Amino acid sequence: MASVRDILEIFGAIDRAIVEADGDPELTATAEKVLPGSAAHAGWYGELESRFFGDQARTPDLAAALGRIAEADERDERLTQNQKARLLYGIAASARIKRVAPTCSLPAFTAPDGSEFGGALIGSLAAIAPDGTALDDRRARAAEVRGGLLHDASTGFVRPGDFDTVRDQALNSIRFGSKLQAPLCQTAVITVNGHESVVVDTKFTSDAVSLDELKRIVNPFNWADDYPQLFVRMQGQEPDILPDGWRRVLETVRLIESVELTTPLKFYPYADPARPLEAHLDYDLDESGFDTGDGQVLVDRGFINMRAVNESGSPGAAGVRVATRKVVHITGISAFAQARLVCIGGYGTGSADFLLRSAANPPADPKPFDFPATEDQADADDVTGSGSPPVLHFAPAAVAAWTESVQDLTNGYFEVAEKWLSGGLTLTDIADYSTRLGGSIAAAPWKYLQAMTTPRPPGTRGGGT
């Protein structure tokens, strides 16, 4: 988990450059373009360090962070796919900002290979190479392509969409032509139960795993085996199942180094027999067992929507599309700092690593998709699936209640309701709607916000994913 803090520190070094630039228009404008919100919310990295490390907080140093990543790679402690993508993004963004503002606190990317920063830079670029490549080979390739890659990044990486070009060059050089697939992190901020919360959406596809394979490992009781880099423990709660059919689990995640969060969750797996090519998993904060957690997370909800996409039209054939959403509020840090932690730290965007890798290499004896299906099942030694109980998915009721209530509001709010029902509501719409309603949204019934931050049920217009 040390790599999580190191990657965060790369972006923290950019934050430090913005703070120390004291409003330099060229630097702030450039940073805002490649990292939207970074100039407007300068100081976010200091918030995270102070919140999680207190007296042990450190000043961000790009050379030191890259050096530690290079040292870990030398020990064959390889990064995940998503970490490699975030590392490349941070290096490219830093190179762009340094080119536009050469006097900023970031080190010079023209430093010779033998210098401390030059060596750290080559070593960190080598860390992006695929698994199974020899250290000497990946470092030699990184040294060879460093100049061209960073020149193109510093001149052509003007906005987030330009990262595709940077990534493509990396695919053809550092990664020897192999894939570097990672979902984009799309964020917005909404108010849930009076708490500013970050919404993180990801979408990705795979032609290597099937829907059935995803369903085999997606149950939350498997998460600590699926992705131990983040999930530490997934423990049962009593009772195992709530009266409405939602299951309960106590989740412990390790965010940065030894920092852990323990949160009670409830979850609902849903697979409609009439739509065998789709499966959904919703989760939310389990307020009935809130005192079993550590109280650091006040909002935690989202979904994993999965759909088979293959020519044979079979859930057992390879080819899936996945959409995930996470809505979270962590106490003690601002909404923007939470967004950076969730995105860069991988708390919300490790979904591709987490799901696809474990689907291809499942843990031993994973709990089935609909576990537990009965009150006693969580304690049974021999666990078998018996089908999800026929409980009404909660989203239709929430959407219906919300739609009825907006009848007294303006036509503009009707438009938002229609977008939701048709499946066309975007993160921007959600953020704009929250702003327009102001104080009203905080006082509105919780069902409205629940509907806005959870998936549409199977069978509604617009589909599931």
Side-chain angles (χ1 to χ4, degrees):
M1 292 301 294
S3 57
V4 173
R5 191 177 182 186
D6 293 333
I7 293 173
L8 271 168
E9 187 170 342
I10 293 170
F11 291 85
I14 296 175
D15 184 52
R16 174 188 173 188
I18 295 170
V19 172
E20 295 181 353
D22 195 24
D24 176 355
E26 289 190 346
L27 186 150
T28 54
T30 301
E32 192 69 20
K33 287 180 180 178
V34 295
L35 293 168
S38 58
H41 300 88
W44 63 267
Y45 183 78
E47 284 188 55
L48 295 181
E49 283 285 313
S50 177
R51 166 69 172 80
F52 294 115
F53 299 104
D55 295 340
Q56 303 301 314
R58 61 194 187 202
T59 301
D61 184 318
L62 181 60
L66 294 181
R68 287 190 296 272
I69 290 172
E71 290 170 1
D73 188 62
E74 187 174 0
R75 298 190 298 269
D76 206 34
E77 297 173 9
R78 306 307 311 280
L79 301 175
T80 68
Q81 285 282 87
N82 281 274
Q83 289 172 339
K84 291 174 183 179
R86 289 191 288 273
L87 170 60
L88 181 61
Y89 198 108
I91 291 173
S94 300
R96 171 62 182 169
I97 292 169
K98 184 66 176 180
R99 182 179 184 89
V100 174
T103 61
C104 76
S105 61
L106 293 169
F109 281 76
T110 55
D113 293 356
S115 67
E116 178 183 358
F117 180 64
L121 184 57
I122 289 173
S124 59
L125 289 173
I128 299 170
D131 294 344
T133 55
L135 175 64
D136 288 345
D137 290 343
R138 57 183 185 258
R139 288 202 166 180
R141 182 66 66 94
E144 178 183 347
V145 304
R146 168 195 166 189
L149 179 65
L150 295 178
H151 175 270
D152 289 349
S154 64
T155 56
F157 187 26
V158 177
R159 57 188 61 83
D162 298 329
F163 180 63
D164 290 345
T165 301
V166 177
R167 184 171 54 191
D168 288 346
Q169 186 185 11
L171 297 183
N172 294 325
S173 53
I174 299 172
R175 290 190 57 81
F176 311 169
S178 65
K179 293 182 179 180
L180 183 60
Q181 180 177 343
L184 294 176
C185 184
Q186 304 175 45
T187 64
V189 175
I190 64 170
T191 301
V192 179
N193 297 343
H195 306 294
E196 280 198 328
S197 305
V198 180
V199 182
V200 182
D201 278 4
T202 64
K203 294 182 180 181
F204 53 93
T205 60
S206 172
D207 57 7
V209 302
S210 69
L211 175 62
D212 285 347
E213 288 172 329
L214 281 176
K215 288 176 63 178
R216 182 170 54 176
I217 55 89
V218 77
N219 185 291
F221 280 97
N222 299 321
W223 290 359
D225 293 323
D226 292 339
Y227 199 51
Q229 295 91 334
L230 176 63
F231 299 100
V232 179
R233 292 178 297 278
M234 304 299 293
Q235 301 168 284
Q237 296 272 65
E238 291 292 340
D240 304 319
I241 303 178
L242 295 170
D244 60 3
W246 285 63
R247 285 77 163 165
R248 306 174 72 219
V249 66
L250 186 64
E251 172 197 81
T252 299
V253 298
R254 182 174 295 123
L255 290 184
I256 313 172
E257 296 184 350
S258 61
V259 176
E260 294 185 358
L261 305 177
T262 298
T263 309
L265 298 177
K266 59 181 181 179
F267 66 95
Y268 188 82
Y270 183 82
D272 185 349
R275 305 181 73 172
L277 299 185
E278 297 181 9
H280 312 270
L281 180 78
D282 297 342
Y283 61 91
D284 202 346
L285 187 70
D286 180 11
E287 297 184 357
S288 69
F290 185 74
D291 58 353
T292 62
D294 57 24
Q296 296 187 77
V297 176
L298 301 182
V299 176
D300 193 345
R301 63 176 59 160
F303 61 74
I304 301 172
N305 286 349
M306 301 158 283
R307 176 181 293 175
V309 285
N310 51 64
E311 292 183 359
S312 62
S314 168
V320 290
R321 181 166 67 246
V322 181
T324 73
R325 173 168 295 170
K326 185 171 190 67
V327 187
V328 64
H329 173 92
I330 302 170
T331 60
I333 51 178
S334 67
F336 187 81
Q338 290 180 59
R340 297 305 89 195
L341 174 64
V342 168
C343 283
I344 300 169
Y347 184 37
T349 56
S351 48
D353 278 335
F354 156 36
L355 293 169
L356 300 182
R357 184 169 58 180
S358 55
N361 300 282
D365 301 319
K367 296 294 188 289
F369 179 69
D370 51 12
F371 173 84
T374 67
E375 185 63 36
D376 316 325
Q377 193 184 42
D379 298 322
D381 292 330
D382 185 17
V383 177
T384 57
S386 59
S388 297
V391 180
L392 177 67
H393 192 282
F394 76 94
V399 174
W402 181 47
T403 305
E404 289 173 5
S405 297
V406 298
Q407 290 176 357
D408 295 328
L409 300 178
T410 67
N411 289 335
Y413 301 151
F414 274 116
E415 293 172 2
V416 177
E418 177 60 26
K419 284 184 179 181
W420 171 257
L421 292 172
S422 66
L425 187 65
T426 66
L427 290 175
T428 301
D429 293 326
I430 294 173
D432 289 345
Y433 181 64
S434 180
T435 301
R436 290 160 65 189
L437 279 181
S440 298
I441 195 71
W446 176 73
K447 289 182 179 179
Y448 304 166
L449 292 169
Q450 187 181 47
M452 292 167 67
T453 56
T454 48
R456 293 181 302 280
T460 57
R461 285 185 294 151
T465 57

